[in-house]
Amino acid sequence: MEKLPILYEDKHLLLVNKPAGIAVERDRYRNPSVEGRIADYFNTLKLPHNTIIGIAHRLDRPVSGVMLVAKKKSVLVHINQQFEAGTIKKVYFALTENKPEKNKATLSNFLFKDVQKKQAIIYDKAAKNRLPCTLDYIYKGETSLGHLIEIHPHTGKFHQIRAQLAHIGCPIIGDDKYGSKKLYKENEIALHAFSLTFFHPIEEKEMTIEAPLPGEFELII
């Protein structure tokens, strides 16, 4: 099985660059997954018997980028607490079909998760079963494929970035679920989790780990 690119590793944590097109967790059909590849990797090492594959957060199957995995239960608990407290910072980059009207803005909406369609629906007004979702974005410029946008989500709702960008007329390239008409790579969309900033539970220091941007995200100078 293909190895995952490792961005950082110590006795407590593993951060990898998740390839787009594969799921995070294993399924009963043994399809390629981040969890499965980490299990294969761990099997090649002499690790303590209490080592776990602690999935702390998830990325959608068609999305690439930095993902954090805890190796110990106590570390996973600490990381989960940071996520719940909202102290972990994420930065994403996306290529969109259209240029947003504003070069810099905050999007504050309400998100309804349609379970049957596995899709997020964005509304401008609050109502029952609609969850608040907020992100900041910065327009960075044009690439050979589309428009590069830097995204700082303040909430982590289902398909939030994909749905909120589509709501302002800027669907992510390849994301036909949210209105994209432009083709991208098979089973992928042009959304990349670029960085994750968190507090190391054991070393007690803030860390920022980055996953290099795909080549097609390079700006036209």
Side-chain angles (χ1 to χ4, degrees):
M1 185 177 285
E2 186 180 345
K3 293 181 179 179
L4 288 169
I6 295 174
L7 303 171
Y8 174 84
E9 184 177 17
D10 60 24
K11 293 187 294 184
H12 315 286
L13 298 169
L14 174 68
L15 286 101
V16 299
N17 188 358
K18 174 196 174 296
I22 70 170
V24 169
E25 295 176 310
R26 286 180 284 200
D27 62 24
R28 59 182 176 175
Y29 304 108
R30 297 186 179 182
N31 288 315
S33 68
V34 173
E35 189 178 16
R37 292 186 184 183
I38 291 174
D40 289 342
Y41 170 60
F42 281 2
N43 286 337
T44 66
L45 306 175
K46 293 182 179 179
L47 298 172
H49 70 279
N50 62 343
T51 301
I52 65 167
I53 302 174
I55 305 295
H57 62 114
R58 289 157 182 79
L59 294 175
D60 295 341
R61 184 191 295 266
V63 178
S64 61
V66 61
M67 237 193 78
L68 187 155
V69 176
K71 293 184 177 181
K72 299 177 181 178
K73 286 185 179 180
S74 59
V75 173
L76 179 60
V77 168
H78 198 291
I79 293 294
N80 284 338
Q81 289 172 344
Q82 292 184 54
F83 272 110
E84 290 169 6
T87 57
I88 291 183
K89 300 179 181 68
K90 300 179 184 178
V91 177
Y92 287 77
F93 280 89
L95 292 178
T96 62
E97 292 189 8
N98 305 312
K99 180 181 178 181
E101 285 187 15
K102 298 179 180 179
N103 286 337
K104 186 176 182 181
T106 297
L107 304 181
S108 294
N109 305 108
F110 297 89
L111 184 151
F112 172 75
K113 181 179 178 180
D114 188 324
V115 177
Q116 288 187 333
K117 294 183 179 180
K118 296 181 179 179
Q119 190 170 2
I121 303 172
I122 297 297
Y123 296 93
D124 294 321
K125 295 182 180 180
K128 185 179 179 181
N129 297 325
R130 296 180 188 175
L131 301 174
C133 56
T134 305
L135 62 79
D136 298 328
Y137 76 79
I138 304 167
Y139 179 71
K140 306 299 287 187
E142 198 166 353
T143 76
S144 59
L145 285 181
H147 299 276
L148 183 65
I149 298 179
E150 179 180 329
I151 303 140
H152 298 253
H154 296 290
T155 51
K157 301 299 187 292
F158 175 79
H159 288 186
Q160 175 186 331
I161 295 172
R162 300 164 62 178
Q164 283 193 282
L165 289 180
H167 187 66
I168 62 167
C170 298
I172 295 170
I173 291 173
D175 198 2
D176 56 358
K177 181 182 282 286
Y178 291 98
S180 173
K181 304 299 183 185
K182 197 168 185 178
L183 295 177
Y184 192 55
K185 303 172 187 177
E186 187 177 3
N187 299 320
E188 300 182 23
I189 64 174
L191 179 61
H192 180 75
F194 174 69
S195 72
L196 196 68
T197 300
F198 61 96
F199 192 76
H200 196 292
I202 307 302
E203 297 184 7
E204 298 184 348
K205 65 179 181 180
E206 188 176 70
M207 299 180 64
T208 298
I209 305 298
E210 297 179 349
L213 288 172
E216 60 270 19
F217 283 59
E218 185 175 344
L219 292 173
I220 297 172
I221 306 300

